[in-house]
Amino acid sequence: MFDTVFVANRGEIAVRIISTLRRMGIFAATGYSDADAGARHVREADVAVRLGPAKATLSYLSIPDVVAAAVACGARAVHPGYGFLAENAAFARACEKAGLVFVGPPAEAIEAMGDKIRAKATVSAAGVPVVPGRSDVDDLAVAAAEIGYPVLLKPSAGGGGKGMRLVTEPEALAEAVESAQREARGAFGDDRLLVERFVTTPRHIEIQVLADTHGNVVHLGERECSLQRRHQKIIEEAPSALLDEHTRGRMGAAAVEAAKSVGYVGAGTVEFIVSATDPGEFFFMEMNTRLQVEHPVTELVTGTDLVEWQLRVASGEELSVRQQDVQLTGHAVEARVYAEDPARGFVPTGGTVLGLAEPRGDGVRVDSGLSEGTVVGSDYDPMLAKVVAWAPERDAALNRLDAALARTAVLGVHTNIPFLRALLADEDVRAGDLDTGLVERKLDSLTSSPEGETDFLVAAAMDRLLTLTPRGEVTDPWDLPGGWRLGGAAGVSFLLAAEHTEALLRVSGTPRKAMVGVQGEPARPASAERTDDGLGLWWEGRYLRYRRAKAADGTLWLTRDGRTVAVGERPNLLAGHADTVDQGPVVSPMPGTVLVVKVARGDVVAEGTPLVVVEAMKMEHTITAPFDGVVSELHVRAGQQVALDEPLALVTHEEPS
């Protein structure tokens, strides 16, 4: 076994790999960019080496720098995690040339499966069913017409949902091809596309395989990954509620044959599209030649540490498990926590983690790269953590995961946790009636807030009252907030603004016995106290517990039941993108880079016309015209860095002078 392993990654997956290395008694080395100098994976490794600037191409994606860092640390092997260089055959060969063992499959297998066009041909020859499709890049329109709409455009060189476009009619094909190729070039350096038949009501089910260098290949059951948005997985579970033992055996056997067809070694995943109405019909989609983001659910139902077996296989050990030994016990569900705002179209967010609470307990696992003080920027993928739950039955696992998410708090950064909880509560999800279009169909209901922000505003006002009230016995009535009158305390007013609500609150009395009036409504009794982790509030017959943290600019961050709200004490302090665009100026909904400016000054545009394409956290976001009008001003150019809410253009109802 290796004495030192270099982890060529960052964030939660680097932390997760380091935990197995530590348990196995292996010295853990890693690298970092300037943006990650204080990151958790750096602090938890035994040694960390600077790779370069924040830009990934100059640090985590720089093969010479990563290999040099691994050699400098005295590593004998390199674990790439997922993303970055994990499926890069040139990196695998560079490791071998430097005398390092690449913890993954041979470069030839990466190449065979990394190219979707070649992969389909390879597994098809091995008898694995594939989705009907074509790769004639010069004639995509003809190919799409032959296959029949709707069709799915997919980059040949990579996955993760990047560059994928669903096209439902011929008129939309040209623009979809342009956008898909642009995103594919940016993500993979290769803009080749293939077009496939889009299976209606599809379910995304994948098989985990494990292969050694002695010719043994086994599968560890399936994972259901149908809950997706824009081809990006959100919630994954094992096993699937759709499959019976017979179908599971057929799919598993097909996955094993796919792995054998390229001489696969290590942990890998074979992904299938399965018809929701006919589970017996399944098609090979692609093979990920690396560890998957969702690998924890397989680990929980099989009792297998996949990272440990990746290392053992890479060191030459033979698999100790045979197919008949694999048993799936119970049910596991994983939710991906992203730095994004579902209410604003899932735009990436960011900020500094001011406070953090991650759930613990029986059947609960958290893979996280977060710690207090972590700066979440726009340089890398927005996934922050994964919350995973196991239970003997599926319903119990879903309940346990929901409860765990309710106890998760990331103060200082907006996340998708309320959206995840809404998705887990959906009746179709509960029933196991899933398909890859479910999230998009129900997006409006899943992203609408189940309740307003009044409770958070009252909590913020009472928190402020606690801060202003002198501690200990009060001997001078003039020290009370709001002063003193013959009739008692005069009270104090706060003009507070949350993301979607602004209100004037008037508070009188003491923190233990106060009256709070919200926006002219009759005052109601309230009581507040400091707790070990934040604030306790009695309001409208309920006792509500909030975690709290205050930012340097005075913004108070509060979280309860997985929902986080930032409250400022000035009007419009946190005005949202939607409030701004109604007035004409179009601003960037996230920090990022301008990829394309699609209009010119003086252009007449209709509501919804694409104006600017901004890239953030490796995803494209198209900013559109808020109403019919004229582009009066353009403030940006392609390649320009923009900040959150930075003006991009001005659309007016009148033509420019």
Side-chain angles (χ1 to χ4, degrees):
M1 180 52 64
F2 314 112
D3 51 14
T4 301
V5 172
F6 187 87
V7 181
N9 218 297
R10 64 178 300 279
E12 59 87 17
I13 185 56
V15 174
R16 184 264 172 275
I17 295 168
I18 290 169
S19 70
T20 289
L21 293 174
R22 192 173 297 279
R23 181 177 59 78
M24 295 177 69
I26 300 172
F27 195 82
T30 193
Y32 63 90
S33 72
D34 290 344
D36 283 339
R40 180 174 166 184
H41 78 281
V42 173
R43 297 198 310 272
E44 295 198 4
D46 294 299
V47 64
V49 177
R50 179 182 181 272
L51 297 174
K55 191 173 182 179
T57 54
L58 301 176
S59 52
Y60 296 108
L61 287 171
S62 173
I63 292 176
D65 290 324
V66 173
V67 171
V71 171
C73 293
R76 291 181 53 206
V78 175
H79 196 305
Y82 45 70
F84 291 137
L85 298 171
E87 295 178 284
N88 188 307
F91 179 56
R93 289 194 173 96
C95 288
E96 183 180 3
K97 185 177 180 180
L100 300 165
V101 175
F102 178 76
V103 182
E108 294 75 19
I110 296 175
E111 288 175 332
M113 288 300 185
D115 185 321
K116 289 185 175 63
I117 298 169
R118 181 180 169 190
K120 287 183 66 175
T122 302
V123 302
S124 180
V128 179
V130 299
V131 180
R134 295 274 297 277
S135 57
D136 313 57
V137 178
D138 296 332
D139 206 5
L140 279 176
V142 173
E146 290 178 357
I147 295 168
Y149 289 88
V151 297
L152 192 63
L153 297 176
K154 301 170 67 173
S156 176
K162 296 174 180 62
M164 292 177 66
R165 299 291 186 272
L166 174 62
V167 186
T168 59
E169 55 188 4
E171 294 75 16
L173 182 64
E175 184 175 346
V177 168
E178 175 191 345
S179 177
Q181 288 183 323
R182 182 172 58 243
E183 192 168 320
R185 278 195 302 271
F188 314 115
D190 186 338
D191 65 1
R192 291 177 302 147
L193 303 177
L194 65 149
V195 57
E196 291 181 346
R197 187 181 95 193
F198 183 75
V199 179
T200 56
T201 60
R203 293 178 72 143
H204 182 141
I205 297 179
E206 60 191 30
I207 304 290
Q208 176 71 57
V209 296
L210 195 59
D212 62 24
T213 57
H214 304 275
N216 301 303
V217 185
V218 298
H219 72 84
L220 302 179
E222 82 282 3
R223 296 185 288 259
E224 171 94 51
C225 305
S226 297
L227 294 176
Q228 306 177 4
R229 182 179 179 275
R230 294 180 65 179
H231 310 292
Q232 179 67 60
K233 300 167 188 173
I234 302 169
I235 290 176
E236 306 99 341
E237 57 183 301
S240 168
L242 181 68
L243 303 189
D244 56 26
E245 285 296 331
H246 176 68
T247 306
R248 176 176 296 116
R250 288 178 58 221
M251 290 184 67
V256 168
E257 289 305 313
K260 287 180 176 179
S261 71
V262 292
Y264 198 81
V265 172
T269 297
V270 182
E271 302 193 345
F272 294 95
I273 286 292
V274 183
S275 170
T277 57
D278 183 8
E281 181 185 50
F282 57 87
F283 301 105
F284 171 86
M285 185 169 58
E286 64 182 352
M287 183 174 187
N288 294 127
T289 55
R290 53 170 169 80
L291 196 66
Q292 289 280 85
V293 174
E294 56 273 21
H295 74 275
V297 294
T298 295
E299 294 186 324
L300 290 177
V301 297
T302 62
T304 303
D305 186 327
L306 288 170
V307 172
E308 177 178 346
W309 270 109
Q310 283 185 298
L311 295 165
R312 293 191 179 281
V313 165
S315 69
E317 287 191 28
E318 184 175 357
L319 290 178
S320 61
V321 63
R322 295 296 181 262
Q323 193 60 60
Q324 62 269 23
D325 302 324
V326 177
Q327 299 292 327
L328 307 184
T329 303
H331 202 94
V333 192
E334 170 183 292
R336 302 187 185 193
V337 178
Y338 283 96
E340 63 185 13
D341 187 349
R344 296 175 65 184
F346 292 86
V347 295
T349 59
T352 300
V353 179
L354 306 172
L356 180 66
E358 294 176 338
R360 294 289 183 268
D362 291 342
V364 174
R365 165 176 166 176
V366 178
D367 286 13
S368 169
L370 293 176
S371 58
E372 289 191 16
T374 296
V375 176
V376 179
S378 62
D379 296 299
Y380 312 114
D381 189 273
M383 191 174 72
L384 305 176
K386 301 174 309 198
V387 181
V388 198
W390 177 93
E393 305 292 339
R394 183 174 186 268
D395 281 348
L398 292 171
N399 290 337
R400 183 169 283 174
L401 178 58
D402 180 62
L405 288 168
R407 302 196 304 273
T408 304
V410 185
L411 293 158
V413 179
H414 289 292
T415 72
N416 65 331
I417 291 175
F419 167 75
L420 293 172
R421 296 195 66 202
L423 186 55
L424 288 172
D426 179 82
E427 59 182 9
D428 288 332
V429 172
R430 285 281 169 166
D433 295 332
L434 315 177
D435 66 79
T436 58
L438 182 149
V439 172
E440 299 292 349
R441 289 196 304 272
K442 301 189 175 190
L443 203 54
D444 289 344
S445 62
L446 293 172
T447 55
S448 62
S449 175
E451 57 181 275
E453 297 169 330
T454 300
D455 291 354
F456 286 87
L457 295 179
V458 172
M462 293 299 290
D463 183 89
R464 184 66 175 143
L465 184 67
L466 279 164
T467 300
L468 294 173
T469 301
R471 299 194 177 188
E473 283 197 36
V474 178
T475 56
D476 187 345
W478 296 103
D479 286 341
L480 293 171
W484 180 82
R485 301 291 185 273
L486 287 174
V492 60
S493 296
F494 302 106
L495 186 57
L496 301 178
E499 285 86 345
H500 310 290
T501 309
E502 180 182 318
L504 180 67
L505 288 85
R506 186 165 184 81
V507 184
S508 61
T510 66
R512 291 194 173 276
K513 191 175 183 181
M515 297 294 291
V516 180
V518 182
Q519 202 68 22
E521 294 181 1
R524 287 165 283 178
S527 174
E529 62 183 358
R530 293 275 188 247
T531 63
D532 291 340
D533 55 7
L535 176 75
L537 171 69
W538 280 102
W539 174 248
E540 295 190 320
R542 295 181 296 166
Y543 183 72
L544 308 173
R545 294 181 66 93
Y546 297 85
R547 289 185 178 271
R548 67 179 296 281
K550 204 157 191 176
D553 64 0
T555 301
L556 180 66
W557 289 78
L558 297 168
T559 185
R560 174 171 59 84
D561 295 335
R563 185 182 181 197
T564 299
V565 173
V567 182
E569 287 193 51
R570 295 196 306 275
N572 299 321
L573 179 66
L574 299 172
H577 174 59
D579 300 328
T580 308
V581 297
D582 288 343
Q583 303 167 22
V586 180
V587 300
S588 179
M590 81 291 287
T593 303
V594 175
L595 290 183
V596 180
V597 177
K598 301 182 77 69
V599 293
R601 186 178 183 274
D603 283 357
V604 177
V605 295
E607 180 181 350
T609 299
L611 303 176
V612 178
V613 179
V614 177
E615 181 188 47
M617 295 184 177
K618 301 194 288 185
M619 294 294 286
E620 286 190 12
H621 302 268
T622 300
I623 317 303
T624 62
F627 46 71
D628 296 351
V630 175
V631 180
S632 298
E633 298 177 16
L634 271 176
H635 302 293
V636 294
R637 65 185 183 280
Q640 181 177 333
Q641 297 285 322
V642 292
L644 173 67
D645 288 333
E646 181 172 336
L648 304 175
L650 177 65
V651 177
T652 61
H653 291 288
E654 298 180 359
E655 295 197 13
S657 57

